[in-house]
Structure formats: structure tokens, C-alpha cells
Amino acid sequence: MQDTPPPVAPQWHDALNQPALRGDLDLWASDPALQTHAVAAGADVGHLASYGARIGTAEMRRLGEEANRHAPELVLFDTGGRRLDEVRFHPAYHQLMQVGIGAGYAAIAYEGGQGGHASHAAMVYLTSQVEAGVCCPMTMTYAAVPALKADKALFAKWVPKLAARAYDGMPRTLARKAGATLGMAMTEKQGGSDLRHTSTTATPEGDLYRLEGHKWFCSAPMSDGFLTLAQAPGGLTCFLVPRWLEGGRNAIHLQRLKDKMGNRANASAEIEYHGAYAHRLGDEGAGVSTIIEMVHHTRLDTALAPAGLMRAALEQARHWVGQRSVADAMLIDQPLMRQVLADLCLDWEGSLALGLHVARAFDGTTPRDRAFARLAVGLAKFINNKLCPGVISEAMECLGGMGYVEDTGMPRLYREAPLNSIWEGSGNVICLDILRTLRREPLAGESLSAELGAATGHGRAFDAALKAHMQQFPKLPDEAQARWYCESLATLLTASVLIRNAPNEISGAYVAARLSGARGRVAGAMGRVDCAAVLARLGNG
């Protein structure tokens, strides 16, 4: 009997002209731009090198995909009808939290080491490239520490747990935990960003208060406590609300989880306080000025996260076009593709440079440092987030139809792109805050002028653009022109940072493409720049 030959697979199923799988990525070693600007910001580069190598592995990226695929689930009651008010996450979420918290994401700024806030900011950038959803609870934990300085006793009790490199996702009291996280619940249905209309009430009861009210957004509802606002007898006041009391659960009742466009690995909820016990943080009536310290620090993270998202999208696009050919030529070698990618890279590196430069001011100790940080964090948050969706959209297009497919990770980045512009103050709120800071704090304006002046004399194009800005806005504009003013100022500040810290090819290309000469409104519609030098900043990961 003749042997039957084995079946032959059709040749059309060979994976021809398809990029290889990326495997492990060293997000520090493959990113020369990050290395440049982290050094300039005074960050702990040894720590970042270690973290970048770990967070970029194929295993970490797989965990990010799993945490998004299996969304958090709300569990209100146990089988006996007793309230649980818990959110349950896929194990991948907890693994990513363990890696981030364990590496000092929330702690490194307060450990007394080199460039703590700059190192933290770079960790935000790195983590956002893998899974942005876990950044929210870690960011708020980091940002809560300065707000807790308003009460020495609460600071002494909570900060050692918040600044510990230990993650414990179990629902139990603070005393039984090696590490803790802290969330935030401020927004109400009727008020939005206008916190003056907060309707939640706080009634004194001994040394504590009882809260009653509804919060439209509670970020990270499985945190061990929350900073929140409520109307006390003396006015709008900030409170720390523990999720667990010694006798059991506090009366914080989850109503539903928000069905969000992106950021799906992270839970956001509507909650109600039904007589929940709370500790007053700061004086009665000083709620906004107390919690603004937390907001100030979360805004730093919302300025760095878009740079990380842009980097992830551009790295994926570079990988694709570097291994795929069209018309017998590699995509990366085609002039129009190079022009588009180079243009996008200028936005990404500018955002990274500006964000880390602002983080350096957070590490500063002088009144000028603090004034500059208050002002510049708004400029960085505004401009970086306005650029992010467009960069990721164009990067998706570099992959053609595959850019629209979940397998590539591009859709997840695209869904995430608008978030940080909305969180902690949307664009209009940030622009008005910038104008308010300039009006109220002369030192903020002086520090910004010094920053811009430090880049003058290095090239006519920047000097001319700065002069044109001053002529256009000889004084602070009215509200209707606030976006134009802030965009112009943020772009000039970005150019100033690049001129001082980046290679001449990068700063020169940025100034030429963003501050001088006519150009179109879409990526790639700019004059000629040194594309090879700009694209080299994406590294070879």
C-alpha cells in the first residue's frame, strides 16, 4: 500500500512581509530621548534603567492586555445579602500594581534620593507605555502625600503606608496593611469642576465627621481611603475617608462603575456616603486650598502620561514600517513616511522634555522653583494632551488597516489618548488656571520669563518667535484668547527646554517646524528637517 504524502500547507498562509513579534523591550536602553531628558532633570537614571528593562518585557505587556480584556467587576453583596461594595480585578491588574508600587512609583519622590519627583515622572512615562490603567491609583497615592501635610496626625498614620514599596489589594484596615493606596472623590453631578456647588454634607461627631452625599466620579474605588470634599459648618472642607474602620466597612456605598471609553483596567465609580466616618484634613472652609496640593501633583502625571502614550504608538509604528515593504521599498525608507514620522516625533520628544523639566521644578526647594512648577505644570498638561490624540491617530495610520485592529495595541492607546486632557481639569479649566496664576503670583511670571530668556541668543528663529509672542500678547489676554495664548507660551517653553537640553538637530527641527515658517495643519506638512536625526531618537528597540 502506497504511503499517503503529508498535506502541504497553502503557500498563501505564509506570513510574508509581516513584521516579527517584538518580544522583550528595554524601555530605557532603547529610548535615547528619555536618557537625555532624565539626566537633564536630575532623575535617578540607575533606577530608571532597571525599571525600564523590567516594565517593557513581553510578559508585562501581556499583563496589560489581560487587565484590559477582563474589566473590573462590581460586587455589591455577598450570598447572604450583606453589603460588600467591592470591585474585583483580574490577577493581571494586581500583578502590574505590585510591580509599579514595588518599584517605588508612589514612594520614590519621598525617599530622599536623587531627583525623586523627576524619577517618579519618568516612571509614569514608562508605565503608560505598557498599561495606563494602573497609573491612576498609583498616581493619586503619590499625589496625596503633600495634601496630608495639612494634618500632622493623619500624615504620621497614613504616609508611611502610602510611601511604602508594598502593594496589598486586600480589603482590610490600614493597621493590617504593609502598604496602602489613596483615591479621590470630588466631582458631583451638579457641579463638575465647579467645586463651590458641592452638596455633600459633613456633620461633626466627636473628633470625626459624618458624611452624607453622592459623588459622580470616584477614582480607584478600591483604595484604602479617599480625599473628598463636603460642606461642613464652616464651609467647604477636605476630608480623608477610610474605606475600612476597626469595626468593619465604612458607609461608602458603590452605586455603579462607569463604562468608560478607555482606561478600562482601572475602575471609576459613582459612590454615596451614608453617614460615612471621615477625618477632617485642614481647616473648615479651606477644602479647595487643601486638596489642590493633591491636584497639583496629579497634574504632573497627566503631563507625562501622554508622552508615554505617544512613545508607545510611535515605537509600534516604527517597528511596522521598518519591516514592511511596499512597491519593493521598505516603508521606513520612503520620503513621505519619514517626514510624517519625524513630525510626530517632534511632538513626542517635546512633550517628554517639557514634562521632565517641569518635574525637576517639583524637586526644587526655592520659592521660584515652586512658583514655576505651579505655572508650568498647567502649560505642560495642556499642550502635551492636545497633541497626544493626533499623534496616536497618525501613528495608527502608519500601520494601515492593522492599526485599527486590537492585536496591535493601537486602539487601546487611541482610546486612552484623550483621558489625561480631561482628568484633573479639562483644557479650558487649565488655561484659566494659567491666567489666574500669572495674575496672582508675580514670581510665577518672573520664573517663566527667566526660562524663556535662557534660550535666547542661540538662534534667530526662536528669538523672533518669542518677540512675536510678546507683540501679540503685550499683556495677559482675555478669556476668549486663553487657548491661543497658552498654546503659544507652552510651545515656546518646550522649544526653550529642547534648545538647552536636546541635540541641536532636534531643537533646530522643532523650532523650524513649530515656531517659524508656513506649514499645513496635518502631520508631515512641514518644511524639510533632518529626518534621520529625529527618527534616531526613537532608538532601536
Side-chain angles (χ1 to χ4, degrees), residues 19 65 131 232 294 306 349 438:
E65 293 167 2
E131 172 42 46
M294 184 176 188
E349 181 161 353
L438 287 168

Side-chain angles (χ1 to χ4, degrees), residues 243-263:
R243 194 157 61 87
W244 277 82
L245 306 171
E246 292 301 328
R249 289 174 171 81
N250 204 355
I252 307 168
H253 295 154
L254 277 61
Q255 303 303 302
R256 63 171 176 167
L257 298 185
K258 297 291 192 182
D259 187 8
K260 298 172 294 184
M261 179 177 106
N263 204 247

Side-chain angles (χ1 to χ4, degrees), residues 8 24 35 37 49 51 98 175 184 257 266 280 291 296 300 306 350 355 357 387 404 420 424 435 456 500 529 535:
V8 178
D24 292 343
Q35 295 167 28
H37 299 294
Y51 186 67
Q98 179 63 61
M184 180 190 291
L257 298 185
N266 174 48
R280 192 185 77 216
I291 207 168
H296 177 56
L300 176 63
H357 189 72
L387 296 172
Y404 210 66
N420 290 284
E424 299 297 36
L435 295 185
T456 58
R500 286 175 282 165
V529 301
L535 293 176

Side-chain angles (χ1 to χ4, degrees), residues 162-188:
L162 299 178
R165 295 195 181 197
Y167 172 67
D168 183 347
M170 296 298 293
R172 50 190 168 201
T173 60
L174 183 69
R176 296 175 57 201
K177 289 199 164 197
T181 58
L182 206 64
M184 180 190 291
M186 290 199 298
T187 307
E188 297 185 2

Side-chain angles (χ1 to χ4, degrees), residues 73-381:
E73 295 182 356
L74 178 62
V75 182
L76 291 178
F77 302 95
D78 68 11
T79 54
R82 292 170 287 267
R83 290 206 71 119
L84 288 178
D85 293 288
E86 292 181 5
V87 180
R88 297 195 177 154
F89 298 88
H90 189 271
Y93 171 90
H94 293 293
Q95 288 177 263
L96 289 167
M97 287 289 291
Q98 179 63 61
V99 170
I101 292 288
Y105 184 112
I108 195 168
Y110 308 110
E111 293 175 335
Q114 174 185 345
H117 289 285
S119 301
H120 160 81
M123 291 181 73
V124 176
Y125 168 80
L126 290 166
T127 310
S128 297
Q129 296 177 49
V130 177
E131 172 42 46
V134 296
C135 289
C136 176
M138 295 193 292
T139 282
M140 289 188 297
T141 301
Y142 150 80
V145 172
L148 287 170
K149 291 180 181 179
D151 187 288
K152 291 183 179 179
L154 290 175
F155 187 92
K157 181 179 180 180
W158 280 84
V159 169
K161 302 295 178 74
L162 299 178
R165 295 195 181 197
Y167 172 67
D168 183 347
M170 296 298 293
R172 50 190 168 201
T173 60
L174 183 69
R176 296 175 57 201
K177 289 199 164 197
T181 58
L182 206 64
M184 180 190 291
M186 290 199 298
T187 307
E188 297 185 2
K189 286 181 285 190
Q190 75 287 348
S193 61
D194 189 351
L195 301 175
R196 296 171 300 174
H197 294 289
T198 296
S199 63
T200 299
T201 60
T203 303
E205 186 174 301
D207 293 334
L208 300 175
Y209 288 72
R210 289 269 202 168
L211 303 188
E212 296 278 349
H214 178 95
K215 294 295 181 181
W216 189 234
F217 274 93
C218 174
S219 298
M222 284 301 284
S223 299
D224 298 293
F226 308 96
L227 292 192
T228 195
L229 295 175
Q231 298 287 355
L236 188 61
T237 304
C238 185
F239 295 91
L240 191 160
V241 189
R243 194 157 61 87
W244 277 82
L245 306 171
E246 292 301 328
R249 289 174 171 81
N250 204 355
I252 307 168
H253 295 154
L254 277 61
Q255 303 303 302
R256 63 171 176 167
L257 298 185
K258 297 291 192 182
D259 187 8
K260 298 172 294 184
M261 179 177 106
N263 204 247
R264 300 190 70 84
N266 174 48
S268 301
E270 292 178 39
I271 66 169
E272 288 184 0
Y273 299 126
H274 293 145
Y277 282 106
H279 302 274
R280 192 185 77 216
L281 184 62
D283 296 332
E284 285 194 3
V288 173
S289 61
T290 301
I291 207 168
I292 200 67
E293 280 299 315
M294 184 176 188
V295 172
H296 177 56
H297 286 73
T298 53
R299 283 180 176 175
L300 176 63
D301 289 22
T302 62
L304 267 301
L309 297 174
M310 286 187 265
R311 162 73 186 178
L314 288 170
E315 193 280 330
Q316 175 73 287
R318 186 277 316 275
H319 177 75
W320 180 271
V321 302
Q323 299 188 44
R324 189 165 173 85
S325 65
V326 173
D328 298 322
M330 300 304 295
L331 279 171
I332 189 62
D333 295 326
Q334 300 191 14
L336 186 54
M337 179 62 74
R338 294 174 67 78
Q339 184 85 345
V340 169
L341 280 175
D343 205 358
L344 300 177
C345 284
L346 292 175
D347 284 337
W348 151 64
E349 181 161 353
S351 297
L352 172 62
L354 179 59
L356 287 179
H357 189 72
V358 172
R360 180 182 182 180
F362 275 68
D363 283 314
T365 58
T366 69
R368 183 178 289 273
D369 290 328
R370 291 190 290 272
F372 178 70
R374 280 192 295 274
L375 174 63
V377 75
L379 290 168
K381 179 186 185 315

Side-chain angles (χ1 to χ4, degrees), residues 2-35:
Q2 188 175 2
D3 290 337
T4 303
V8 178
Q11 291 184 351
W12 58 78
H13 285 306
D14 291 344
L16 303 176
N17 200 23
Q18 285 286 328
L21 298 179
R22 290 182 295 164
D24 292 343
L25 301 176
D26 187 329
L27 298 184
W28 169 264
S30 65
D31 191 342
L34 172 60
Q35 295 167 28

